[in-house]
Amino acid sequence: MPPTTTATFAPPRQRTDWWQGGIMAALLLVLTAFILYPVLRVLWISVSDDQSNFTLIHFGNFFRRPLFREALWNTLWSGALVVIFSAILALPLAYVLARYEFRGKLLLQTAATLPLVIPPFVGAVALQLILGRSGMVNLLLMDWFDISIPFMEGLTGVVIVQTLHFFPFILLNTVVSLSNIDASLEEMAQNLGCHGLRLFRRVTLPLMLPGFIAGSLLTFIRAIDDLGTPLMLNQKNLLAPQAYLRITTIGMDDVDGYVVCVVLVVLSMVTLLAARKYLSLAEYATVQRAAPVARRLQGKNLAIVWFVIALTLGISLLPHIGIVMLSFAKVWSFSLLPSSYTLGHYEEILFRVPHFVINTLIYTLLAAGLDIILGAAIAFLLLRTGVPGRNFLDAVATMPLAIPGVVLAVGYLRVFHGWDFPGLGAPLTSSWVILVIAYTMRRLPYTVRACYAALQQVHISLEESAQNLGANRLCTFIKITLPMIGGGLVAGGLIAFVTSCVELASTIMLVPRIELGPISYGIYLYMQSPLGRGAGAALGVVAILLVSLGTYLTHRVFGGRAGNAFRV
Amino acid sequence: MKPAHVRLENIAKRYGEQWVVRGVNLNIRAGDFFTFLGPSGCGKTTLLRMIAGFAIPDEGAIYLDDQEVSRMPPWQRDLGMVFQNYALWPHLTVFENIAFGLRERKIPRAEINQRVHQALEMVDLKGRESRRPSQLSGGQQQRVALARTLVIQPRVLLLDEPLSNLDAKLRVEMRLELLKLQRDLGLTTIYVTHDQEEALAMSSQIAVINRGEVIQVAPPRTIYEQPADNFVAAFVGQANLIPGKVRARMDAMLTIEVGAGNNNIVQVVDAGKNFQPGDSVQLCLRPEALELSLAGADRPTMNQIDGKIVAAAYQGASVEYEVAALGMIVKARVAHAKGQGLFQRGDAVRLAFAPEAANCLAPSNGA
Ligand SMILES: Nc1ncnc2c1ncn2[C@@H]1O[C@H](COP(=O)(O)OP(=O)(O)OP(=O)(O)O)[C@@H](O)[C@H]1O
Ligand SMILES: [Mg+2]
């Protein structure tokens, strides 16, 4: 899963202690129960008939039904469009960020991460207000030119919202691969007479392509995984909403829902494997000498860059502006700006029904804590022991990257519904615990990555020299290893926290009762009625603040390497 | 293309507040194998990059065949550069790497083919054209990098420590190959290294650089045998630097009083430095210029200093002794043949050297 760097790092120790085997067994049990088995169960249902015999008839039906064929096509097409538009937005910015030094660079860097703090389904609502049929822009267009543009109708809306949310993934990946290109590779080309656009096409572009493509594929996975945006925009004919609607409206026994789930998983898996392949290709261009010297931008060029910054900042801030205004608006319909303002929505969500916020904090912090423990244990087994089965453990822990939230939720409902979980006295699906588990598993790959990277930095000789000086294993761990990997663990936990805060797909399927719902669920509920939109927006603002805080802290802990956390 | 000559006039370059190159004047003749030699961080690479056009001097001018190029972009200079890490493009095959510069020059396809194959042959890599750089060994990569640069027939060949990534044996082999290529093609070559042995073995001219300043420009023998100052003396090869005072001068022969104790008057030939009685000087004595015998042996034509063996290091063909003499430690390297006896720690010995074997330098001012 994580990139394997130099061979100078610790060779796996060959002796397997009983306690290492114990940890391994426990981890395998947990991951099998909550990742592997639910997904396999979904898979099995999609390929078996009433008598539990193997059959492909359901898939045959899937591809015969125009509705599903269209959903599949829509998913692929809108995913591709999101990638293309994100790339168009991200590439010039990435180049400027990686290669130029100029006043206001920090501002641009910050602007580039802003879209990540607003959950896409919240952005969807906000953009309705600005770009929707009776949103700001169309009201102005009607006033001035007597026309209106259906930005938010159909797939277009989904593509716009997702593009604005996901383009930073491509941006971050591309900046990383651009700055990983050894300076001498470009200088050599210049020395041989190549420069300008030709240099870009013949040397720079091919070298940054692997990272760029990996970022694009990652974006594609996230786009097809996104359930909230299509639901909010009422665009039902995509795979994720189809799976959701099948299971929730027709029922747990509807095979079609499972088939849709499996198609989604296959799409994501294939994409993830492709991304991995490309990233492994990218390894070849890593730095020996620092990236090409950043050139200073001045005069006309600076003006152009500033124009681009202003445009990007403006566009990527649209959802934020919309949601903040909505959260303070008393009445806001068919008018350019709200007609009056109020603090009532905040009063509602903070004092009258505070449980959404409280639940979110409880669930996500628990999930982050669990992720740190699991991530650290997995990283330890992978890097410091020779326990058999490590590769399998690694593979299973990475799987969630390619399992859409809907699919995991469907698997949980199928597996845990209807029987009392030991020690709980009730089915797991009727308790809030299921949400914590879902969040934990969904974000596990990120934490494992962070922990693995952190532990990899600690050369085994540092531990061995402590032991050589008389510290026992526990003492070594507490005094040497923990302080050195602490930052990585915290960063991993923060990523889990941030992304869980805005997890909608698995949430809306797994919330047992309204009063057990977290913020994302609250937003979804409130947004269903025009009257609730204000409170929903206020919850959205709270979510943005939580995510911003988490992201800020991640940057503090990770430093400039924060972008790495979002790579495959 | 005809090899060019390169002239640097008063070149200076700073990064931030720090001047990393100062007042450099160099005249590199066409066909020279010219080496920049100096310790790490002294500004060799910076100087080379200014010639190649990757950095622009803050002061001074660079001339290629009398044309000023100080501000000309690198892609117009027609100079071939080989980077320390080879900078082979990982996304291109060996063939495409070598053909790159030819394609930039819009050379017809057939000729590209022919010239690339010629270049591959020249560096002994035929049959490897479809490999990727990552599938080659270090030495092979090095040769591809060289072929890629040579194939465009550059006016000047710039090499930045091209051998430093190779293991010791390969380094010596490549050294000879490189030299042969350079001679055959008659290329003006500027070679950067901090390895003095390499510089002595390859160059026709060496510029010794310290802290951004050129200290001495001369052929290898002059650099080694008549170092301009004690920095050059100590950096190129080993040197015993012995402080002393000029007592008298007769024609070119100086009489110098060194250290304290008996036998502390030596005679040294002044190689044009024109020291006068009363001047403080520093004697530069190469370890191999010293002869060693048991105390009491007399060599009337030579300068003689008494001392005591402090340490002996057997090195096969020679033995390196550390001798306490004149209140300091003097190093002497003595040829050794099988069966010969060695001096032991504590032995009283006499060091001897001929008046021409020493160099008289101005004393260091703090450096
Ligand atoms: N881009 C830069 N910015 C700031 N300082 C630099 C830069 N490049 C080089 N320097 C400084 O200039 C000085 C000379 O560097 P240079 O690379 O020319 O040394 P060098 O002689 O090639 O050393 P080495 O043998 O280690 O390669 C060094 O002190 C270095 O720190
Ligand atoms: Mg250098």
Side-chain angles (χ1 to χ4, degrees):
Chain A
M1 185 221 99
T4 46
T5 19
T6 54
T8 54
F9 287 107
R13 285 191 197 148
Q14 287 317 314
R15 210 185 72 229
T16 303
D17 294 332
W18 60 269
W19 57 273
Q20 294 174 352
I23 297 179
M24 185 71 175
L27 283 174
L28 280 180
L29 183 70
V30 169
L31 297 196
T32 307
F34 296 112
I35 297 176
L36 201 54
Y37 183 62
V39 174
L40 288 179
R41 188 68 181 270
V42 170
L43 177 64
W44 174 242
I45 293 170
S46 72
V47 293
S48 61
D49 60 17
D50 307 342
Q51 272 77 48
S52 287
N53 296 317
F54 177 80
T55 171
L56 283 178
I57 192 158
H58 307 309
F59 280 91
N61 291 338
F62 175 90
F63 287 106
R64 262 195 294 282
R65 295 264 298 274
L67 177 74
F68 287 142
R69 277 211 307 270
E70 195 190 319
L72 177 60
W73 170 248
N74 283 349
T75 301
L76 292 173
W77 175 235
S78 68
L81 283 181
V82 169
V83 168
I84 291 170
F85 289 128
S86 300
I88 292 174
L89 218 51
L91 277 182
L93 288 181
Y95 193 81
V96 170
L97 271 182
R99 289 300 159 80
Y100 291 100
E101 206 49 69
F102 54 92
R103 294 178 58 171
K105 184 168 172 176
L106 199 67
L107 194 65
L108 174 56
Q109 267 163 337
T110 316
T113 55
L114 279 179
L116 294 175
V117 306
I118 189 164
F121 59 95
V122 175
V125 176
L127 278 178
Q128 283 276 27
L129 294 166
I130 293 169
L131 296 176
R133 194 192 299 265
S134 50
M136 264 187 214
V137 171
N138 272 324
L139 286 179
L140 285 179
L141 286 177
M142 280 306 275
D143 254 19
W144 295 342
F145 309 110
D146 210 23
I147 53 165
S148 84
I149 303 174
F151 293 109
M152 301 301 287
E153 315 287 312
L155 281 184
T156 321
V158 177
V159 171
I160 290 180
V161 171
Q162 290 185 339
T163 299
L164 286 187
H165 182 67
F166 290 124
F167 84 88
F169 286 111
I170 296 192
L171 181 63
L172 291 171
N173 274 282
T174 313
V175 168
V176 170
S177 37
L178 266 176
S179 25
N180 273 354
I181 295 176
D182 193 290
S184 58
L185 293 177
E186 285 182 5
E187 287 174 353
M188 191 62 223
Q190 292 184 330
N191 178 248
L192 291 176
C194 192
H195 64 105
L197 267 182
R198 240 181 111 68
L199 172 67
F200 183 78
R201 187 171 62 73
R202 292 196 68 190
V203 176
T204 317
L205 183 68
L207 288 176
M208 67 172 234
L209 214 51
F212 166 70
I213 289 181
S216 302
L217 293 174
L218 200 63
T219 302
F220 182 80
I221 294 181
R222 299 202 163 220
I224 65 178
D225 173 21
D226 182 15
L227 173 63
T229 306
L231 282 186
M232 287 291 179
L233 295 178
N234 207 19
Q235 170 61 39
K236 301 212 171 68
N237 206 4
L238 288 163
L239 288 178
Q242 276 300 319
Y244 168 72
L245 291 171
R246 288 270 138 187
I247 304 289
T248 50
T249 57
I250 302 180
M252 286 299 298
D253 296 321
D254 176 59
V255 182
D256 290 335
Y258 294 86
V259 175
V260 176
C261 281
V262 171
V263 172
L264 262 179
V265 172
V266 169
L267 277 183
S268 311
M269 286 273 179
V270 170
T271 316
L272 180 68
L273 291 179
R276 287 287 216 77
K277 173 115 178 75
Y278 265 103
L279 261 196
S280 69
L281 288 182
E283 304 285 320
Y284 66 36
T286 39
V287 221
Q288 296 180 25
R289 186 152 64 83
V293 195
R295 275 157 286 183
R296 278 211 79 79
L297 269 181
Q298 275 153 349
K300 195 181 87 204
N301 292 335
L302 184 61
I304 295 175
V305 165
W306 265 100
F307 177 75
V308 176
I309 294 178
L311 204 67
T312 326
L313 243 181
I315 295 177
S316 55
L317 274 180
L318 281 182
H320 306 65
I321 297 167
I323 206 73
V324 170
M325 273 171 37
L326 184 59
S327 74
F328 287 111
K330 200 163 195 170
V331 189
W332 188 9
S333 58
F334 296 103
S335 63
L336 209 51
L337 292 174
S339 24
S340 60
Y341 295 92
T342 172
L343 282 176
H345 305 314
Y346 285 95
E347 201 189 326
E348 157 107 2
I349 58 140
L350 292 179
F351 302 111
R352 268 202 294 283
V353 275
H355 65 254
F356 291 123
V357 177
I358 296 171
N359 287 342
T360 292
L361 287 176
I362 297 176
Y363 301 165
T364 54
L365 289 177
L366 274 177
L370 285 173
D371 268 336
I372 291 180
I373 296 171
L374 291 176
I378 292 173
F380 172 79
L381 288 184
L382 293 182
L383 279 174
R384 290 288 198 266
T385 71
V387 191
R390 287 171 302 146
N391 291 340
F392 180 70
L393 183 71
D394 188 11
V396 178
T398 313
M399 264 179 68
L401 280 181
I403 303 173
V406 186
V407 179
L408 196 68
V410 169
Y412 282 5
L413 289 174
R414 187 71 197 197
V415 171
F416 298 110
H417 198 65
W419 58 278
D420 292 352
F421 197 76
L424 203 63
L428 205 49
T429 45
S430 66
S431 155
W432 56 269
V433 176
I434 192 78
L435 287 168
V436 176
I437 295 175
Y439 296 165
T440 307
M441 296 305 151
R442 289 268 283 155
R443 305 312 171 202
L444 186 59
Y446 298 113
T447 340
V448 172
R449 248 195 102 70
C451 296
Y452 189 99
L455 191 56
Q456 206 175 33
Q457 308 281 315
V458 185
H459 197 285
I460 194 144
S461 64
L462 294 174
E463 292 174 5
E464 283 170 350
S465 60
Q467 290 176 356
N468 176 254
L469 293 174
N472 65 23
R473 221 184 240 126
L474 185 66
C475 183
T476 304
F477 181 77
I478 292 173
K479 284 194 173 154
I480 308 289
T481 317
L482 202 56
M484 291 191 67
I485 64 172
L489 298 192
V490 172
L494 282 170
I495 296 165
F497 166 75
V498 164
T499 45
S500 299
C501 273
V502 294
E503 163 76 34
L504 182 68
S506 54
T507 307
I508 53 176
M509 299 193 72
L510 291 175
V511 168
R513 290 188 301 281
I514 291 186
E515 67 274 17
L516 293 180
I519 288 182
S520 52
Y521 189 70
I523 298 174
Y524 181 68
L525 279 189
Y526 277 123
M527 290 300 179
Q528 301 296 318
S529 74
L531 278 182
R533 287 192 325 182
L539 274 180
V541 172
V542 173
I544 292 174
L545 290 179
L546 282 178
V547 175
S548 308
L549 180 69
T551 311
Y552 171 74
L553 291 176
T554 317
H555 276 265
R556 285 294 298 269
V557 178
F558 249 131
R561 288 162 293 131
N564 289 336
F566 297 102
R567 305 186 73 198
V568 188
Chain B
M1 201 166 291
K2 207 173 135 294
H5 71 257
V6 181
R7 207 167 82 243
L8 306 186
E9 252 176 28
N10 250 320
I11 294 293
K13 172 83 187 167
R14 66 157 182 245
Y15 287 115
E17 289 301 290
Q18 187 203 1
W19 289 94
V20 298
V21 170
R22 279 171 299 188
V24 168
N25 287 292
L26 286 176
N27 198 357
I28 299 164
R29 291 176 312 237
D32 257 2
F33 194 111
F34 197 102
T35 299
F36 294 168
L37 175 66
S40 184
C42 71
K44 308 179 293 287
T45 298
T46 307
L47 211 46
L48 198 71
R49 289 172 61 81
M50 284 192 281
I51 298 173
F54 297 120
I56 292 174
D58 292 313
E59 288 172 13
I62 299 171
Y63 297 88
L64 270 180
D65 278 343
D66 298 321
Q67 181 199 5
E68 203 202 319
V69 296
S70 315
R71 302 189 160 262
M72 185 190 269
W75 49 89
Q76 289 171 8
R77 294 193 188 195
D78 241 336
L79 306 177
M81 175 134 175
V82 176
F83 285 82
Q84 183 171 357
N85 63 356
Y86 317 143
L88 297 178
W89 297 295
H91 63 293
L92 299 179
T93 60
V94 167
F95 184 95
E96 280 304 322
N97 262 285
I98 298 178
F100 190 98
L102 297 174
R103 294 205 197 289
E104 284 311 307
R105 284 162 179 72
K106 309 259 172 350
I107 307 249
R109 190 173 296 261
E111 192 186 336
I112 291 184
N113 246 322
Q114 182 227 332
R115 279 171 71 173
V116 170
H117 281 109
Q118 234 171 6
L120 278 166
E121 205 163 331
M122 186 165 64
V123 296
D124 212 7
L125 276 176
K126 268 182 91 174
R128 304 275 154 78
E129 43 273 79
S130 53
R131 300 247 185 127
R132 300 260 163 183
S134 55
Q135 298 167 306
L136 298 177
S137 72
Q140 290 171 331
Q141 293 183 15
Q142 211 281 335
R143 287 188 298 213
V144 174
L146 200 59
R148 178 175 62 178
T149 302
L150 291 178
V151 80
I152 63 162
Q153 301 173 343
R155 302 162 74 189
V156 178
L157 182 60
L158 308 173
L159 304 162
D160 190 357
E161 310 205 20
L163 306 184
S164 65
N165 281 349
L166 304 179
D167 63 52
K169 189 157 166 288
L170 200 54
R171 192 153 51 210
V172 175
E173 267 171 43
M174 285 302 301
R175 211 190 261 177
L176 294 175
E177 279 185 49
L178 192 59
L179 210 51
K180 188 166 164 300
L181 273 177
Q182 192 263 343
R183 295 277 148 80
D184 290 351
L185 300 172
L187 268 175
T188 311
T189 302
I190 303 179
Y191 189 92
V192 165
T193 184
H194 59 247
D195 180 339
Q196 40 106 3
E197 195 187 314
E198 204 168 280
L200 293 175
M202 301 176 79
S203 323
S204 56
Q205 292 278 320
I206 296 177
V208 182
I209 302 176
N210 187 28
R211 300 192 190 170
E213 282 175 291
V214 173
I215 311 288
Q216 185 177 11
V217 184
R221 271 192 70 175
T222 316
I223 294 278
Y224 189 78
E225 293 170 8
Q226 290 159 35
D229 71 359
N230 38 41
F231 171 79
V232 179
F235 187 74
V236 183
Q238 283 185 321
N240 296 299
L241 293 172
I242 303 167
K245 208 163 203 122
V246 180
R247 282 290 167 236
R249 178 177 181 112
M250 240 177 75
D251 298 330
M253 191 66 83
L254 298 174
T255 304
I256 297 173
E257 180 184 328
V258 286
N262 315 330
N263 266 343
N264 61 351
I265 301 293
V266 296
Q267 309 260 314
V268 174
V269 176
D270 183 355
K273 289 237 159 59
N274 210 11
F275 289 108
Q276 295 304 324
D279 286 350
S280 288
V281 294
Q282 225 162 15
L283 280 191
C284 164
L285 272 172
R286 299 288 182 197
E288 68 273 12
L290 289 166
E291 286 174 21
L292 210 53
S293 47
L294 274 177
D298 201 19
R299 310 284 305 277
T301 57
M302 314 247 299
N303 296 302
Q304 308 191 61
I305 299 169
D306 287 334
K308 205 173 224 166
I309 301 282
V310 180
Y314 172 70
Q315 292 174 340
S318 63
V319 186
E320 194 168 298
Y321 292 103
E322 289 187 5
V323 183
L326 303 171
M328 58 186 289
I329 298 290
V330 176
K331 283 190 174 161
R333 191 175 312 115
V334 178
H336 180 76
K338 192 176 156 193
Q340 233 169 20
L342 298 183
F343 291 109
Q344 298 299 322
R345 187 186 149 88
D347 287 352
V349 291
R350 172 161 285 179
L351 293 161
F353 62 93
E356 318 77 57
N359 277 296
C360 206
L361 305 173
S364 58
N365 24 19

